[in-house]
Amino acid sequence: MTNNSTRRLFGTDGVRGEAGRFPLDAGTLEAVGSSLAVRLAARLGRPPVIIIGRDTRESGTWLENALVDGATGGGAICKSAGVITTPGVAFLARSLDADAGVVISASHNPYYDNGVKIFSPSGRKLDDETERLIERDMLSSANPSTTARTENRSSGEEHSLQERYLDFLGQEIGLELSLRNQTVVLDTANGAASKLAPLLFERLGANVIAINNKPDGRNINLNCGSMHIESLQESVVAAGAALGVAFDGDADRSLFVDSRGRFVDGDATLWVLAKYLSARNELNNDLVVATVMSNLGLEIALSARGLKLIRTDVGDKYVLEELLRSDASLGGEQSGHIIFPRISLAGDGMITALCLLRAMVEEDKSLDILTEGFERYPQTLVNVRVREKQPFAEIDEVQGLADETAAKLGKNGRLLLRYSGTESLARIMIEGQDQVEIDMFARTIANAIHKAIGLT
């Protein structure tokens, strides 16, 4: 049986689950709001101000209502930005001197899931100590039978808050950036960027073609957005567009398609932006921060230009921690989370797209030309469902095979063994020069893990 005093609800990206079930039921969200308000008030000695936003899921309205009921009951002053991106809430919390920002979203997950992310005024995710206190209140006070009110409580304040965020993106990040004569296809994943992204890029002069921008509460991320770029690739080629941008449900990340219809992931984006910043002496300490999942080809390409790659554990939280520790100016993940800490401590898909477009415009080069020099190494990823997460070093056959494989790969490959942070899975990631060879290596190690600790 799980001990409630030690149970962890907050992961590296907040709390997630199926909407309507613990911990994403109305009663528990009301407890989150109340706990956050009470904790902040005790620290501040006054009523805290909380900015709240949500994505387009049908559960978003009643979950937000429940959280606001709890927070106002706990003495907080709540301001709702309505449907807005996760980094939009982080920006508003910072720029309005609020005491916290809360996002109701499950990012790239399907519509029936939802989640809660809480930001400090700096835009960083909530500190671990406060998360643990809120978790304790969630576990002791949640009442899944509580029904939240589903009425739309929107006000004119939502529009003004959204406009404040768009003004920041267009006037500060997009300062003097003209996208005239640029055709851009935006796949907004029927999510939080559905209205905001087309408005932003149109204001900068782009000819915008928006797809998957008609949310109905259930079509968020459905065969679209950053998880499914096929329709974006087709649209870019058909329109002769300069760029395609694929957002996820809460638009904290973006992936791209070049004018030839080729996929450009977070690693290739880091490569383009690192070169651009380095040429302008804006790549602090000649460093780029990425995770252990970033392709070996990125590390080799950067090294050839005298730039260094520092790797972290998987998760934008860890990327940000290393960015701040090493005073670096660029970091991100293969999945498209890119962070420019001097601009924002939160990954922002629209900021990434603007910075990439600025590089294209100022260099007067297409994205396919800018990505040259980055040769992706073949990569394979195999998951094994396990009954326990025993350290690999304690499993002799697995550790022996891992050592043997690493020796065979040498400097021209890489092996990473890790457990999933959210599921009972062992993950084997191998990169090398030959796809057939690394696939064989991965299968051999996977079989050894399954034999030792796998589920039957």
Side-chain angles (χ1 to χ4, degrees), residues 48 53 71 113 116 123 134 138 171 211 330 344 377 408 423 445:
D113 285 341
V116 180
I134 293 175
M138 291 168 70
Q171 297 172 15
I211 62 175
L330 175 67
S344 172
Y377 272 49
K408 289 179 179 177
E423 300 177 86
I445 295 173

Side-chain angles (χ1 to χ4, degrees), residues 95-112:
S95 67
L96 294 172
D97 292 325
D99 301 300
V102 180
V103 181
I104 310 295
S105 173
S107 188
H108 58 275
N109 286 26
Y111 83 92
Y112 47 78

Side-chain angles (χ1 to χ4, degrees), residues 147-300:
T147 302
R149 287 170 285 178
T150 58
E151 74 272 15
N152 192 330
R153 306 179 190 175
S154 63
S155 66
E157 187 175 44
E158 293 185 358
H159 177 72
S160 66
L161 292 176
Q162 292 167 9
E163 281 296 315
R164 186 183 183 96
Y165 175 50
L166 283 177
D167 286 345
F168 160 69
L169 293 174
Q171 297 172 15
E172 295 189 38
I173 308 303
L175 179 66
E176 298 182 354
L177 173 64
S178 173
L179 299 180
R180 297 188 188 281
N181 302 318
Q182 299 275 1
T183 296
V184 179
V185 183
L186 305 176
D187 183 343
T188 63
N190 295 310
S194 292
K195 180 178 74 171
L196 300 176
L199 282 173
L200 171 65
F201 290 93
E202 285 171 356
R203 290 179 185 182
L204 293 171
N207 172 33
V208 173
I209 300 172
I211 62 175
N212 302 310
N213 64 326
K214 295 178 173 59
D216 63 11
R218 293 193 169 198
N219 61 358
I220 186 170
N221 301 313
L222 182 61
N223 299 320
C224 61
S226 62
M227 301 297 288
H228 303 276
I229 66 159
E230 298 80 14
S231 62
L232 178 61
Q233 291 174 303
E234 293 171 2
S235 296
V236 167
V237 172
L243 181 71
V245 186
F247 298 102
D248 62 342
D250 66 338
D252 63 349
R253 61 191 179 101
S254 52
L255 296 169
F256 303 95
V257 171
D258 68 22
S259 59
R260 298 166 61 183
R262 299 189 305 180
F263 176 51
V264 177
D265 69 359
D267 286 343
T269 302
L270 286 171
W271 166 241
V272 173
L273 294 172
K275 290 190 297 175
Y276 172 80
L277 293 174
S278 177
R280 288 155 180 77
N281 294 315
E282 295 175 5
L283 189 68
N284 211 28
N285 298 323
D286 291 331
L287 290 177
V288 176
V289 178
T291 76
V292 291
M293 295 304 294
S294 279
N295 194 272
L296 179 62
L298 175 61
E299 189 170 352
I300 292 173

Side-chain angles (χ1 to χ4, degrees), residues 16-184:
R16 285 192 192 167
E18 185 176 345
R21 295 189 176 184
F22 180 83
L24 270 301
D25 57 88
T28 307
L29 263 288
E30 189 170 342
V32 170
S34 175
S35 180
L36 178 61
V38 169
R39 303 294 177 189
L40 290 175
R43 182 188 305 170
L44 299 167
R46 59 170 174 77
V49 177
I50 302 173
I51 307 293
I52 301 173
R54 65 182 187 277
D55 66 21
T56 56
R57 295 162 210 274
E58 62 180 10
S59 59
T61 299
W62 61 262
L63 284 171
E64 180 181 354
N65 289 346
L67 189 137
V68 169
D69 285 345
T72 53
I77 300 168
C78 295
K79 297 182 179 183
S80 175
V83 174
I84 193 170
T85 68
T86 288
V89 171
F91 162 76
L92 291 170
R94 182 175 71 251
S95 67
L96 294 172
D97 292 325
D99 301 300
V102 180
V103 181
I104 310 295
S105 173
S107 188
H108 58 275
N109 286 26
Y111 83 92
Y112 47 78
D113 285 341
N114 220 318
V116 180
K117 300 180 189 179
I118 305 175
F119 294 93
S120 69
S122 69
R124 297 187 72 173
K125 289 171 185 174
L126 198 63
D127 64 275
D128 289 343
E129 180 182 357
T130 305
E131 280 187 354
R132 299 291 83 78
L133 292 172
I134 293 175
E135 279 183 348
R136 188 181 69 185
D137 293 340
M138 291 168 70
L139 291 164
S140 63
S141 303
N143 179 8
S145 66
T146 299
T147 302
R149 287 170 285 178
T150 58
E151 74 272 15
N152 192 330
R153 306 179 190 175
S154 63
S155 66
E157 187 175 44
E158 293 185 358
H159 177 72
S160 66
L161 292 176
Q162 292 167 9
E163 281 296 315
R164 186 183 183 96
Y165 175 50
L166 283 177
D167 286 345
F168 160 69
L169 293 174
Q171 297 172 15
E172 295 189 38
I173 308 303
L175 179 66
E176 298 182 354
L177 173 64
S178 173
L179 299 180
R180 297 188 188 281
N181 302 318
Q182 299 275 1
T183 296
V184 179

